[in-house]
Amino acid sequence: MRSRIFSGLAVLAAIALTGPVLAVGQAQAAPAAGTVEASAPAGFVGMAPTRVLDTRNSYWNASGVDGPLSPGENYRAQLLDVAGRAHGQGVPVVPSDATAVVVNVTVADATDNGYLTLTADPNAPGVTPATSSISFAPRQTVANLVTVAITPGTVPAINVYNNGSYTHVVLDVVGYYRPGATDKYGAVTPTRLVDSRADGHWIEQGGVRSVQVAKPELGTADARAVVLNVTATDGTGDTFLTVYPTGRQRPEWGSNLNVKPGGTVPNQVVVPVGQDGKVDVFNHIGSQNVVIDIVGFYGPSGQGLFSALKVPVRLADTRPNLYEGRPSQELAPFSTLQVPTGAGAPAGALAAEVNVTATAPSESGHFTVFPSNTTRPDTSNLNFVPWQTVSNSVTAGLNGDSFSVYNHAGWTHAIADLTGYFTVAK
């Protein structure tokens, strides 16, 4: 079912590298106590990418609607595997007791700038979400990983709000959280596993690169799934990358990143671990450089259970707001912004699931997100070019109930939206 609610245009952004720290700021925004509702703590179950929506094709749409989402539209996306089945007859891709779903959302063929916000179903009628999940530009194909709360005991569904323009939307489910699931989140020091620019082994057209992700020295020896930040850069083709477990068949549907020739595109990837503790990275067209950082894992030795926010909350926004009396806190080159979770996550939380956006950067650069007051890792979470708005999901480790966003180059604004958090299992 589609409901049409229109509102004014608002657009957001994000990217990452390293350098000396010049200044440290602290974000002003944080949710007030008692305003945040979250799902019960739950373990993780990874799965092969399963398509539940593609508005370019009515057979990939449980409601049978064939066409782009309209500006200001709220779309109820049922989490049903409808491939090859009559509309509305698909099988739920997550169990009835699931509390949250991990979705790779791809935007294609937008007619103008805009953003999507994914929230629990149903969205409050007539209410424009105060956060964003993915930002896009005209004719751009871009993806982001989003974790969304769902209501247990119902036909699983999420709400997709479209602000800005007519756009096609593709949703691929890659995992979910449910009470009693044995795989828990384990934090690791963000570590670079692959940089093909340095080792010379870029991925050729139709080629696959295997990456060792289960490593005793990282504490991921028993990992059953890993959390990676994958960046595609300096490629020669209009391509996509798919990350999947080594030893298993590559998914027929589902991609993790889409990138134009010469572009740099990051995306967080959650993927089950395959044979010999490895995952495979497939490149569709042209030759492609990849940079892969590991930021966490799921397995028996993990400690964290996840709670999804029913309504995501904005933790930080450095743009000025005259109505709220908020001055500009634009990040300077080589500066760091400290972002407290406030009442958005309980005291002592292990990590936060955050959508980080960079917008209106003056130069090409990147963001690195890491636990506050710790040594900044030599990794990146999102990359940007001048005046681009780009978003990326980040599983941010916390220290003192806050994380930090380091800006590598140029002046840029930063936005951080909290979608959930990990607490230590008891």
Side-chain angles (χ1 to χ4, degrees):
M1 174 180 178
R2 291 186 183 228
S3 60
R4 297 184 178 274
I5 302 169
F6 294 88
S7 65
L9 175 67
V11 184
L12 308 178
I15 210 162
L17 283 176
T18 53
V21 176
L22 298 185
V24 176
Q26 181 160 330
Q28 295 180 344
T35 62
V36 177
E37 183 182 0
S39 62
F44 179 73
V45 180
M47 55 185 283
T50 303
R51 184 147 297 175
V52 296
L53 174 68
D54 187 341
T55 61
R56 300 168 300 182
N57 186 335
S58 62
Y59 284 100
W60 286 102
N61 188 323
S63 63
V65 176
D66 187 3
L69 270 61
S70 303
E73 180 174 350
N74 283 284
Y75 178 77
R76 183 174 185 264
Q78 292 181 301
L79 305 180
L80 305 175
D81 182 358
V82 297
R85 300 179 175 90
H87 301 310
Q89 299 300 311
V91 176
V93 301
V94 300
S96 61
D97 62 346
T99 57
V101 64
V102 184
V103 180
N104 200 71
V105 54
T106 302
V107 172
D109 301 326
T111 58
D112 205 343
N113 294 321
Y115 67 84
L116 301 181
T117 303
L118 276 61
T119 57
D121 173 69
N123 182 58
V127 175
T128 300
T131 58
S132 65
S133 301
I134 185 172
S135 302
F136 52 85
R139 317 312 301 176
Q140 184 182 30
T141 299
V142 60
N144 195 18
L145 193 74
V146 184
T147 303
V148 190
I150 56 178
T151 303
T154 64
V155 174
I158 60 176
N159 187 79
V160 181
Y161 169 76
N162 176 36
N163 177 291
S165 71
Y166 292 93
T167 185
H168 282 292
V169 178
V170 180
L171 299 180
D172 296 314
V173 176
V174 299
Y176 56 91
Y177 294 91
R178 70 184 304 191
T182 57
D183 288 349
K184 298 179 287 295
Y185 176 75
V188 302
T189 300
T191 302
R192 182 142 295 172
L193 300 178
V194 169
D195 188 342
S196 66
R197 300 169 302 178
D199 62 33
H201 297 300
W202 61 1
I203 308 175
E204 300 292 348
Q205 180 168 313
V208 172
R209 177 161 182 171
S210 294
V211 182
Q212 186 75 42
V213 294
K215 299 178 126 182
E217 62 269 30
L218 294 177
T220 61
D222 67 343
R224 291 177 177 162
V226 288
V227 185
L228 307 173
N229 196 74
V230 180
T231 302
T233 187
D234 301 330
T236 62
D238 188 347
T239 190
F240 64 83
L241 301 183
T242 301
V243 186
Y244 59 100
T246 298
R248 301 186 197 175
Q249 184 175 357
R250 176 168 56 88
E252 181 179 3
W253 304 100
S255 62
N256 297 102
L257 298 90
N258 299 80
V259 60
K260 297 288 186 181
T264 298
V265 176
N267 198 15
Q268 182 160 287
V269 174
V270 176
V271 57
V273 176
Q275 292 178 355
D276 301 322
K278 296 179 180 179
V279 299
D280 285 346
V281 183
F282 168 80
N283 173 43
H284 179 54
I285 294 291
S287 299
Q288 186 67 57
N289 273 316
V290 294
V291 180
I292 302 175
D293 301 325
I294 187 168
V295 299
F297 74 98
Y298 294 95
S301 67
Q303 296 180 305
L305 297 177
F306 183 73
S307 294
L309 300 191
K310 301 297 180 65
V311 178
V313 296
R314 179 143 292 171
L315 297 179
D317 187 345
T318 65
R319 299 171 299 179
N321 188 313
L322 298 180
Y323 296 104
E324 297 179 1
R326 186 178 72 224
S328 173
Q329 287 187 297
E330 189 175 22
L331 273 66
F334 312 124
S335 67
T336 299
L337 177 72
Q338 184 173 338
V339 183
T341 58
L350 180 66
E353 198 66 35
V354 186
N355 195 64
V356 178
T357 299
T359 189
S362 64
E363 299 179 25
S364 296
H366 68 253
F367 283 167
T368 297
V369 181
F370 61 104
S372 294
N373 303 311
T374 64
T375 301
R376 173 169 49 87
D378 189 18
T379 56
S380 63
N381 294 95
L382 74 166
N383 303 75
F384 45 81
V385 296
W387 301 108
Q388 182 186 33
T389 294
V390 58
S391 305
N392 200 21
S393 178
V394 178
T395 303
L398 300 176
N399 184 42
D401 298 326
S402 70
F403 60 90
S404 290
V405 179
Y406 169 78
N407 176 39
H408 171 65
W411 292 80
T412 186
H413 283 291
I415 300 160
D417 295 327
L418 181 71
T419 61
Y421 55 82
F422 295 89
T423 52
V424 177
K426 297 179 180 179

